[in-house]
Amino acid sequence: NASKCAGGCATVWPPLKKSEVVAPSTLNYQDFEEAYRDDDLGPQLSYKGYPLYYFDQDQGKQGKVAGHGGGPNQTFYVVEIK
């Protein structure tokens, strides 16, 4: 429940803020928490302990996922809820 993306990484992958979340009613809102950050970009939203980000180049357009599989070591993925 702590962010591992700072500096230049956080410029491309800004942290998702709690006020920005819109989730389906099938999700348990108790699974969303605030993740700790060592910088002034927090607090950051997390889901089940995983910090959430958005990809700056998606320009905030819902459904656009150009950053899927990107980031450091190709470890940034679209959240998939099953």
Side-chain angles (χ1 to χ4, degrees):
N1 211 23
S3 179
K4 305 248 187 237
C5 180
C9 176
T11 300
V12 178
W13 297 90
L16 188 64
K17 305 293 183 170
K18 188 173 187 175
S19 62
E20 297 169 351
V21 70
V22 177
S25 60
T26 56
L27 296 181
N28 183 348
Y29 278 90
Q30 292 177 332
D31 290 334
F32 291 92
E33 299 175 332
E34 289 186 348
Y36 175 77
R37 293 191 62 89
D38 286 330
D39 56 24
D40 61 351
L41 298 176
Q44 176 176 359
L45 189 67
S46 69
Y47 179 73
K48 293 188 175 183
Y50 292 96
L52 299 176
Y53 307 85
Y54 66 94
F55 188 53
D56 186 60
Q57 294 177 28
D58 284 343
Q59 301 168 342
K61 295 181 182 173
Q62 187 174 11
K64 192 170 180 188
V65 293
H68 181 75
N73 303 314
Q74 290 81 42
T75 56
F76 284 54
Y77 296 98
V78 173
V79 174
E80 184 176 348
I81 309 293
K82 294 182 179 185

